[in-house]
Amino acid sequence: MKISIVGGGYVGLVTGTCFAQLGHDVIIIEINAEKVRAINNGKPPIYEIGLETLLNQHAGKNLHASTGFDTIASADIVFICVGTPPKPDGSADLSYLESASSSIGTALKNNSSYCCVVVKSTVPPGTTEKIVRPCVLKTSGKTENEIGFAMNPEFLREGRAVEDFMHPDRIIIGSNDSRAGKQVALVYQGISAPVIDTGLSAAEMIKYTSNAFLATKISFSNEIGNICKHLGIDVYEVMKGVGYDPRIGSLFLNAGAGFGGSCFPKDVSALISLAKKAGENPVLLQSVLSVNEQQPHRMVALLEEKIGSISGKRIAVLGLAFKDNTDDIRDSCAIPVIRELLQNGAQISAYDPMAISNMQQIFPEIEYCPCAADALAGADGCLVMTEWPEFSRLDKEFDLMAHRIIIEGRRILACKGTDGICW
Ligand code: UDX
Ligand code: UDX
């Protein structure tokens, strides 16, 4: 099939590249000309395991990128993958989605056959029906017989996005007409997973609910962990025992510095905003965020408990990405920690295997080191912020510190003599 993807970021690029791997002809339409050049040269602008190999195989063959929308005129299906970032009040900013919809509609004026427009971006329930559909129909001058609409949320974890795309738990297809739904199902042929057909708004709500539930599991584990810490109990032993109950499940019970990334904080905030607009008081969701916001402060408080005032002290921060195997720092827990350390007068030496250049844009003033050992040399304390597997091997590197005070925000170190945020 001829597929156009609008937005070549984390989701759009992985989705487009994987569709090319399934044998489709893919065009990625991306506003940023530098990203377009990189994609056409087979070089992903982001780090994602397995992506470069696949992109190399398909770039210039059945995958191309462009800044223009004209190729949509011959597309069988168009996926909208532009960002939907939070506005200051927590609600989703749909301005990119609106402008993408109107550009798609204008380009579809020249499409002579049926085309299905699919929203993959995370959007509040009602958006595909009430914003995307009227906008595309108006700008294209076409009818519902010529253009179909669907909502197909993504469940890609960064760092495992290619794997998640190729082996999904489920494929959710929301549509209000069966032709559109069938068109979406066709592009996933070759992938073995249950396909759940549902309405447009239900598909939109499934995405928010899934992410809010996962975020709730993490904040719940963190709250239990904070209690366990006072009681001298290892929360990881507790959650191991708890997770054997299939009604609970063993995944996403890792207590630590809190959840970050481009999805959980933003999607829980958007759901809270939706609830409030509907006249509800979403106390549980608000607590999920407030537990999460406190965890980074707990890291700094624990450090102060160990070393006293941190003013003038050298503090090593290991891990800047919001999780392992990505260079993404969006809403990383390392950000509030570094901010608080700086406010309290610390001197920071930071290391991350992949995210240094991204963090330099936010904190140009701190020292970035090429390896963990350099960041640790002479440090008065160390905070481990990301679950990078390479940190599990660290041990003698900590002897380079002025004082071996190590606080883990992620349960990743194998060496002895560390303190955990919740254990
Ligand atoms: C996606 C989703 O779309 C978001 O709703 C979801 O919750 C998380 O995943 P993501 O791919 O992570 O977002 O965002 P980003 O990496 O910022 O990618 C968006 C891309 O769209 C960027 O490359 C941006 O340049 C591009 N873009 C944005 C356009 O091409 N056109 C626009 O009008 C706006
Ligand atoms: C998430 C969803 O998992 C995915 O399905 C999609 O909807 C996009 O959003 P992502 O944000 O890329 O994926 O990563 P994820 O692995 O879910 O981790 C999110 C954050 O939670 C990270 O900061 C991670 O460190 C943290 N986390 C995860 C925990 O603190 N404890 C856990 O047990 C699991």
Side-chain angles (χ1 to χ4, degrees):
M1 288 171 80
K2 289 199 171 89
I3 302 178
S4 290
I5 309 266
V6 180
Y10 281 86
V11 171
L13 181 56
V14 170
T15 302
T17 307
C18 290
F19 277 144
Q21 174 71 4
L22 292 179
H24 300 294
D25 279 328
V26 178
I27 310 258
I28 294 177
I29 298 163
E30 164 59 53
I31 208 166
N32 180 326
E34 216 174 295
K35 284 191 189 176
V36 167
R37 253 193 311 278
I39 295 169
N40 283 330
N41 288 331
K43 296 257 166 277
I46 50 157
Y47 174 77
E48 193 57 58
I49 291 174
L51 183 61
E52 186 156 11
T53 311
L54 285 188
L55 191 58
N56 255 306
Q57 280 169 27
H58 298 286
K61 294 175 191 139
N62 62 336
L63 185 144
H64 298 88
S66 161
T67 50
F69 281 75
D70 44 333
T71 49
I72 283 185
S74 56
D76 298 311
I77 191 160
V78 181
F79 284 87
I80 303 182
C81 300
V82 296
T84 47
K87 292 204 268 195
D89 68 353
S91 65
D93 178 351
L94 301 178
S95 56
Y96 299 131
L97 186 90
E98 286 168 21
S99 82
S101 303
S102 108
S103 304
I104 290 167
T106 308
L108 282 178
K109 269 185 191 165
N110 304 318
N111 190 330
S112 49
S113 51
Y114 177 81
C115 179
C116 181
V117 176
V118 189
V119 175
K120 203 172 248 311
S121 303
T122 305
V123 293
T127 303
T128 308
E129 178 69 26
K130 297 200 183 100
I131 295 178
V132 176
R133 181 174 156 277
C135 177
V136 172
L137 290 178
K138 185 171 164 224
T139 46
S140 64
K142 302 228 168 188
T143 66
E144 302 249 6
N145 293 331
E146 297 163 292
I147 303 179
F149 294 91
M151 202 285 155
N152 170 227
E154 52 82 18
F155 301 100
L156 309 176
R157 284 165 298 177
E158 284 181 31
R160 291 163 161 239
V162 171
E163 172 74 14
D164 282 348
F165 185 97
M166 292 300 184
H167 305 283
D169 308 314
R170 76 291 205 196
I171 297 168
I172 305 285
I173 303 178
S175 68
N176 291 349
D177 81 273
S178 63
R179 187 176 180 187
K182 283 190 187 129
Q183 186 95 324
V184 181
L186 269 182
V187 293
Y188 285 101
Q189 257 182 13
I191 289 194
S192 160
V195 174
I196 319 294
D197 288 310
T198 184
L200 284 172
S201 298
E204 291 163 334
M205 193 63 179
I206 285 169
K207 171 63 191 259
Y208 277 122
T209 307
S210 297
N211 275 354
F213 192 83
L214 293 169
T216 304
K217 278 185 105 173
I218 298 170
S219 277
F220 179 82
S221 306
N222 286 342
E223 186 149 289
I224 296 293
N226 294 339
I227 300 167
C228 282
K229 176 94 181 158
H230 286 288
L231 303 179
I233 302 168
D234 181 352
V235 64
Y236 276 72
E237 277 179 35
V238 173
M239 287 315 197
K240 190 174 168 200
V242 168
Y244 268 94
D245 184 332
R247 293 170 301 174
I248 295 172
S250 59
L251 303 177
F252 273 67
L253 298 178
N254 293 331
F259 55 79
S262 68
C263 288
F264 288 169
K266 151 177 101 56
D267 292 349
V268 179
S269 299
L271 199 49
I272 289 171
S273 160
L274 275 171
K276 286 186 177 162
K277 275 185 198 145
E280 285 298 321
N281 180 18
V283 281
L284 180 58
L285 295 172
Q286 280 165 331
S287 302
V288 168
L289 283 192
S290 58
V291 170
N292 199 53
E293 278 154 18
Q294 281 167 29
Q295 292 307 97
H297 300 303
R298 283 177 175 266
M299 290 291 292
V300 180
L302 193 54
L303 179 67
E304 278 173 329
E305 215 179 286
K306 300 281 163 195
I307 67 172
S309 162
I310 50 182
S311 177
K313 301 261 169 68
R314 183 173 164 90
I315 308 299
V317 176
L318 298 188
L320 303 170
F322 82 93
K323 60 181 270 191
D324 60 310
N325 285 313
T326 181
D327 58 359
D328 195 350
I329 57 157
R330 288 180 287 181
D331 268 324
S332 168
C333 301
I335 296 172
V337 161
I338 293 173
R339 192 167 290 131
E340 194 169 337
L341 290 173
L342 285 174
Q343 274 162 2
N344 292 352
Q347 215 194 312
I348 298 173
S349 53
Y351 167 68
D352 187 284
M354 262 165 204
I356 287 179
S357 63
N358 283 336
M359 198 58 100
Q360 270 167 335
Q361 324 238 333
I362 301 186
F363 296 111
E365 68 271 46
I366 68 174
E367 181 189 342
Y368 294 92
C369 302
C371 62
D374 284 6
L376 291 166
D380 299 294
C382 165
L383 299 179
V384 179
M385 298 306 305
T386 311
E387 56 273 47
W388 280 104
E390 70 169 63
F391 294 163
S392 66
R393 296 186 291 273
L394 295 174
D395 188 359
K396 61 181 185 339
E397 290 83 350
F398 292 116
D399 294 335
L400 299 168
M401 297 173 72
H403 305 101
R404 202 177 149 126
I405 306 283
I406 308 157
I407 297 173
E408 273 186 289
R410 308 288 175 193
R411 179 75 154 247
I412 187 70
L413 301 180
C415 62
K416 297 228 157 33
T418 67
D419 261 290
I421 175 177
C422 308
W423 57 92

